[in-house]
Amino acid sequence: MFRRDPLAAAIRALQAELAGGPRAELGREVRELEALLAQRELRRFATLRGPAEQELLAALPDAAALVSKEGWVRASNAAFDALAATGRAAGLTPLEITRSAELHEAVRRALEGTARRLELVVQRRTFLVHLSPLLRGEVLVLLRDVTDAKRAEATRRDFVANASHELRTPIAAIRAAAETLLSGAVEEPAAARGFVEIVSRHAERLARLTRDLLDLSRIESRQWKLELGPVQVAAVAKQALELLAGAAGEKGLALRCEVPAEARVRADARALEQVLVNLVDNAVKYTAEGSVAIGASRDRDGWVLSVSDTGPGIARHHLDRIFERFYRVDAGRSREAGGTGLGLAIVKHLAQGMGGEVGVESGNGGSRFWVRLTAA
Ligand code: ADP
């Protein structure tokens, strides 16, 4: 019976063993069958592992790859593939993909079982790399793109440094003047007046700086809520020009409003006035003679508002950076004229907050700053 039907006998013996009987004696053929079934199961598992891994890698928000024991990429997601010149990382080593000897060395150490973290620049982007040894002797490589975060951090650092520097100058001047007054100058009316004037001038400067800094911070943190609606440009332009009529008059500059009555844009009236005031203020500050004009022209679905002057113009290589915070063509001249270096940054942020764009054209005949807003 055993000879004729080894399979049925084996099944019975195994059932008996599992029910608590003695260990089943299996024939050679049945043992062979067992080995074959196990092998097939293993193979099925191996093919299953692929899609599951692939799904996991694809779900990760970072560039991710599995590096084999031999040091080449066995599986990767699309973000990791994008780092390879060929657009496909599988089969390549991390060194071939990133050309980073540092990463190569770190992967080698991770394959030996040591988890690592490092920062890496690939194709001019900065990545935070995590290397985790896995149980099978492979390594999981994760690359998080931190370029934008690092840039923002650097900008913030620069900003704080610049702001502190700007604040320090008037504070030092006020302090020095006050000390001079206290150490006797206050008894000499003629000298005292000069020092009090210094205090007053620099206190003004501090007030302007803190006002601009607060405005910028309110715009950036969206505390300054822009309420967009139809705004008639001519009315706002006239208000802005009126505010600066005194300063222009002192320099003998003519102010002109050349905005057509039908120019209506989608804007926040107060923000638009601030934009125009800042631009006219600059035009008046930097123009020695001639005129400053606000204009508006129709452009596709919008209006381009402009502030033009007959001033010295701005050299071409400054134009790209002129809207950056604290960027000035001539810092001494700007401070002398009462500038904070923040006026144009505020203009840009407010314009963008209203869904608009800003720009500048400049040459020997003067400058023309423009703001494009949607028509209302
Ligand atoms: P500031 O407070 O120094 O005027 P802004 O951000 O308003 O700061 O302007 C940045 C710089 O751009 C100024 O320092 C000045 O060098 C230059 N600038 C701005 N507007 C004009 C203009 N109309 N003509 C010439 N230069 C200008």
Side-chain angles (χ1 to χ4, degrees), residues 206-265:
L206 275 180
R208 272 195 308 270
L209 260 169
T210 43
R211 182 203 59 203
D212 282 0
L213 283 170
L214 270 175
D215 278 353
L216 249 189
S217 125
R218 280 203 205 103
I219 301 167
E220 289 202 325
S221 62
R222 299 188 196 284
Q223 273 174 48
W224 181 342
K225 292 219 163 41
L226 299 177
E227 279 163 26
L228 302 185
V231 176
Q232 206 218 353
V233 181
V236 179
K238 282 189 187 117
Q239 279 168 23
L241 291 174
E242 254 162 49
L243 266 175
L244 291 148
E250 275 174 33
K251 297 179 82 175
L253 296 173
L255 294 184
R256 286 200 310 272
C257 180
E258 296 166 351
V259 180
E262 72 269 22
R264 285 160 75 84
V265 293

Side-chain angles (χ1 to χ4, degrees), residues 189-207:
R193 188 175 175 86
F195 288 112
V196 173
E197 272 166 11
I198 292 177
V199 170
S200 164
R201 200 167 62 237
H202 287 279
E204 269 298 313
R205 188 167 158 63
L206 275 180

Side-chain angles (χ1 to χ4, degrees), residues 282-283 285-286 309 314 322 327-330 334 339-344 367 369:
N282 278 350
K285 256 184 343 206
Y286 299 109
D309 63 47
I314 304 161
I322 204 98
Y327 188 86
R328 292 150 157 149
V329 172
D330 177 343
S334 151
T340 59
L342 297 172
L344 289 179
S367 308
F369 284 84

